[in-house]
Amino acid sequence: MLRRRIGGPSGPTAGALCLGTLPFGSTVDEKTSFAILDRFVEAGGNLIDTANNYVFWHPGTTGDESEATVGRWLASRRARDEVLISTKAGARPTVPGTGLETAEGLSATAIRKAARESLRRLGTDRIDLYWAHVEDRSVPLEETLGTLDELVLAGQVGILGCSNHTTWRTERARALARARGWTGYTCVQQRYSYLQPRFDMGLPESAHVHVTPELLDYVRDEPDLTVMAYSSLLSGAYTRADKPLAAAYDHPGTASRLAVLREVAAELGATPNQVVLSWLLGGDVPVMPIVGASSVEQLDEILGALDVKLTPDTRERLDRAGLSAS
């Protein structure tokens, strides 16, 4: 698998695709989760993304499941030194059965506790990429960033990222870290795919923040900043009739983009999912897709995206589709 350095010139080298493990240990059982992880590493992948709250919203779960499953796989395969572990803090509910309204947040106390518990569940002494999962404007940035820097200095964390943060908050945090000599955010993780939502409507859950043109413009001038995209395949909506698009995608531009996407996929002998991933990887601001799979067969289709090459003319067709309609 093609590799790239993430988080700036001193950051680790990761495979082109990141494996998201949100359903592991819950809707995807442990045996299947292990098989998917095995196949991903066999294919050259090495960046595994989880969080300390996956999937608290599923009946009968606590939020421990994904990290704990990844931790058991790491121990079983003795694979810790072969992979990079990415996990998150800030969005785990503090009251069982509730949602983000009781999220732990990004205070010093919450971050230290979250990191300690994630390390325990993962069975490791370090987190390679640690994310502030959602914004917490109730806590001063100085407190959040200072605490994250402590974790880096202690060797518990490698590089830092922010997920579901607005561009202006990301820039403010990075400027503050530079001014204080702290470790700053060098990765951004947002929702992003080929189909574009209406920005005057909310996404399915209020915590989601979508990649905006403003963010891409910002990243062009920030060579140390890596963009990663979750929900890059819209939970199967490109190919599955039982996975409807959110209301924010209900506009004329969606139909136009889907039509061109399917045309390009047919011309290349690829699937729409593979074209979407190739489109993300090869943009003028390269984006690392975080891909999820519930079977090895789904993962194999995803890995096939690495063999799909878009010419400049084809990319322009995809980019221009739906612009006048939307």
Side-chain angles (χ1 to χ4, degrees):
M1 184 182 295
L2 178 70
R3 299 211 169 188
R4 60 175 291 198
R5 196 170 293 279
I6 61 172
S10 61
T13 301
L17 298 174
C18 173
L19 180 64
T21 64
L22 181 148
F24 287 9
S26 54
T27 57
V28 177
D29 63 41
E30 185 158 306
K31 180 180 178 181
T32 305
S33 300
F34 279 27
I36 293 168
L37 286 159
D38 288 343
R39 176 70 184 108
F40 181 68
V41 172
E42 177 188 278
N46 71 330
L47 180 56
I48 298 168
D49 185 70
T50 182
N52 73 334
N53 70 334
Y54 291 162
V55 286
F56 73 83
W57 54 89
H58 186 74
T61 62
T62 64
D64 291 359
E65 286 75 15
S66 177
E67 283 187 332
T69 301
V70 171
R72 288 190 291 272
W73 175 82
L74 289 171
S76 172
R77 303 307 192 253
R78 299 181 180 178
R80 183 62 189 91
D81 292 334
E82 298 177 38
V83 297
L84 302 170
I85 297 298
S86 160
T87 194
K88 310 175 189 76
R92 183 183 176 101
T94 56
V95 179
T98 61
L100 291 176
E101 68 274 11
T102 68
E104 63 197 339
L106 296 172
S107 68
T109 299
I111 291 171
R112 290 178 186 130
K113 180 175 185 286
R116 183 170 61 250
E117 294 182 349
S118 287
L119 289 167
R120 175 182 56 79
R121 283 189 289 269
L122 290 163
T124 186
D125 61 357
R126 71 186 189 281
I127 297 164
D128 300 291
L129 171 51
Y130 201 40
W131 300 90
H133 199 168
V134 294
E135 286 190 14
D136 182 1
R137 298 187 187 180
S138 71
V139 175
L141 276 174
E142 290 87 350
E143 181 176 343
T144 297
L145 296 170
T147 306
L148 290 170
D149 185 64
E150 289 175 9
L151 295 177
V152 174
L153 293 176
Q156 295 179 321
V157 168
I159 59 175
L160 299 173
C162 57
S163 178
N164 296 307
H165 284 51
T166 56
T167 303
W168 72 268
R169 287 279 291 186
T170 301
E171 163 55 20
R172 182 170 293 183
R174 281 165 54 82
L176 177 60
R178 284 194 298 269
R180 298 293 181 89
W182 292 336
T183 307
Y185 296 138
T186 52
C187 294
V188 174
Q189 183 180 148
Q190 312 283 60
R191 185 182 173 108
Y192 192 43
S193 187
Y194 174 63
L195 292 183
Q196 303 297 296
R198 287 175 49 180
F199 290 106
D200 63 336
M201 293 185 67
L203 287 163
E205 294 179 19
S206 60
H208 289 307
V209 176
H210 198 277
V211 168
T212 62
E214 177 188 34
L215 176 64
L216 295 176
D217 284 343
Y218 173 56
V219 173
R220 285 186 186 95
D221 295 327
E222 301 290 325
D224 68 328
L225 197 54
T226 300
V227 180
M228 301 186 188
Y230 70 85
S231 294
S232 54
L233 296 177
L234 299 181
S235 301
Y238 287 109
T239 56
R240 293 177 54 179
D242 63 327
K243 297 287 186 176
L245 291 166
Y249 296 93
D250 186 12
H251 59 80
T254 292
S256 298
R257 284 176 88 81
L258 281 174
V260 173
L261 174 64
R262 289 165 181 157
E263 289 172 6
V264 169
E267 291 166 9
L268 296 177
T271 67
N273 285 339
Q274 291 168 343
V275 174
V276 168
L277 296 175
S278 181
W279 180 83
L280 288 167
L281 287 164
D284 67 322
V285 176
V287 174
M288 177 181 286
I290 299 171
V291 294
S294 57
S295 69
V296 172
E297 291 74 21
Q298 286 183 3
L299 179 60
D300 281 336
E301 180 202 355
I302 287 167
L303 292 170
L306 299 172
D307 297 321
V308 175
K309 307 301 179 188
L310 302 179
T311 67
D313 288 347
T314 300
R315 179 171 292 280
E316 184 177 4
R317 278 173 61 199
L318 290 163
D319 289 345
R320 293 178 61 83
L323 293 182
S324 59
S326 58

